Amino acid sequence: MSATESGTPEPTTPEPAAVELDGVGRTFGNVIALRDVSLRVRAGEVTCVLGDNGAGKSTLIKTLAGVHPPTSGTYRVAGEPVTFGSPRDALAAGIATVYQDLATVPLMSVWRNFFLGSEPRKGWGPWRRIDVARAKEVARTELAAMGIDVRDVDQPVGTLSGGERQAVAIARAVYFGAKVLILDEPTSALGVKQSGVVLKYVAQARERGIAVVLITHNPHHAFLVGDHFFLLNRGRMTQDWTREQVTLDELVAAMAGGAELDTLAHELEGIRRP
Amino acid sequence: MSAAPGAPTAPEPALDERVASRGVLDRLARRPELGALLGALAVLVLFTAVDTTGSFLSLSGVARWTDSAASIGIVAVFVALLMIGGEFDLSAGVMVGSTGLVMGMLVTQVNLSIWPAIVLTFVFAAGVGALNGWLVVTTRLPSFIVTLAMFFSLQGINLGLTKLVTGTVRVSGLGQATGFDSASAVFAGTFGGGYQFRMSLVWWLLFTVLATWVLTRVRFGSWVQAVGGDQVAARNVGVPVTSTKITLFMGTSMAAAFVGVTTALRLESVQAGQGVGEEFTFIIAAVVGGCLLTGGFGSAVGASIGASIIGMAFIGIAYAGWNTDWSFLFLGLILFLAVMVNTLISRRVAGGTK
């Protein structure tokens, strides 16, 4: 990671945001995926980024995660401008991303998944080995601390439900010292109950002082845990609300495109009438 | 036993209602080796029963089929690691010949003594393995195709170069080189008095233990399972996918070199076509031993049990007085049965998600 330009901290904010995008744009050839996107994410808050399909959510995640560096604008972490060369750089800076369905290896056990890539080791030389007993114990207690009740840390992750799998990935990111946790559509493939389970872990992570970025197209889920709401539409940030400034109805209406929804309701009424 | 009324009953152990009580058999069925172990016992019983020489279970008989199994198992163990890592190596068979020829050429044409020739042979094998791995990772083509191309390329080079240099299809005369006796003792020696157990048996067991240690207790082993299970997820949590895969290909090639060197020392000569066709025997051993063709699951012990089955079958068919032409039919049937059993196991492990 290297500084691209000297950042001038805003005088109005006493503490710099954990992660901040300032006028960020990203183009792929002649396709403009993101245009002038500004986003502030604070520690101990859940920042929701809402957007429909094609709004630029994926590009935004990948920009934050260090996969795609921005083509314009500034990306700051704790007030310092950064340029990440790879997701590993972002991870080293404390920015962990949990991708939907791409977070765990189904055939591997819960504890192996929990420590994958950062296995605790003991012993010397050729006897240097994974500290299996400690890994299992830590996985069990850490998952319990997040309120995740895994029956057996030896069971393959594939035997867990979708919500539990997300939870294992979140608990892992929290344990390995993530300061910023980016969640990519964590509830989109889940049922109502399972979504509730995952949102509970999101709230847990916030209580631990982590800056959570929740990317979703579901305003109901976002409103349950969100402190700050950004609306992404066709590559631009169109709304920037704190929790006090918005109601669930407004959020839903904004997501669905307000006036468009009214028109749709009217048309559907027309179809129903004989 | 009857408790007095009102007496406190022993507290029931806290049971999670979501965990159905599971029998010992069911739990064992999760082990990748189980199917192979049962198969091995069945094959042992079968060939003991049909044995016409009366020596299949004698020490000299065991020495013979363990030797046959060892030459398959040494490579199969590493092929299993590679398959758990989600890749194939179809060039592992021809590499046995290639490495034997490299060693033979170095000794007979360059006039190196045996030990430096062996070291250079392993360096050559590591290089070919690294090339396989690098090509698979950078081209993102299936390893099936990349190593198939390597297979045919090496087969062509083996034949062409051997004919060009020696004028025949073999390199011979290794026995006169300095260091032959010591190298021969290490790779191709015998022990166990008159029963003629081969050193390759010791090496095979050693490699099986080593691979099992790596797979279950070393960080690299976790990474192998991860890159085979879900490469993208592995990369997302910081597993070095590229170096893990290249290391696995190098291991497979060097295991083939081990067998190539052993064979060359044993026969004191190398045929240009040596090893061709063996690649599938290695893969069959690994698959019979519980390795999933899709990667991410399997065991080194299983691959060794698979190799034992094949070794027993090859020798057992001869001891039974049957025509050995039938041995491949046996391999085919064993393979099909094993894959059926393994598929059932993997469905159980994946818990209905697949």
Side-chain angles (χ1 to χ4, degrees), chain A residues 88 102 112 119 130 149, chain B residues 18 216-217 219 222 236 238:
Chain A
R88 254 189 120 87
L102 298 173
R112 275 189 194 271
E119 292 84 355
I130 300 175
D149 173 26
Chain B
R18 295 167 300 182
T216 57
R217 285 293 176 269
R219 175 183 275 191
S222 249
N236 280 344

Side-chain angles (χ1 to χ4, degrees), chain B residues 67-93:
Chain B
D67 177 40
S68 171
S71 64
I72 299 163
I74 287 172
V75 189
V77 162
F78 288 88
V79 166
L81 289 184
L82 181 68
M83 283 180 70
I84 296 167
E87 304 291 348
F88 284 101
D89 187 356
L90 295 181
S91 68

Side-chain angles (χ1 to χ4, degrees), chain A residues 131-169:
Chain A
D131 192 343
V132 177
R134 201 174 86 80
K136 285 185 185 177
E137 187 50 40
V138 171
R140 189 179 293 115
T141 50
E142 282 300 313
L143 289 170
M146 290 282 291
I148 306 161
D149 173 26
V150 174
R151 287 135 277 179
D152 174 9
V153 288
D154 267 321
Q155 69 182 335
V157 159
T159 61
L160 302 179
S161 70
E164 288 172 318
R165 262 179 269 172
Q166 287 278 337
V168 169

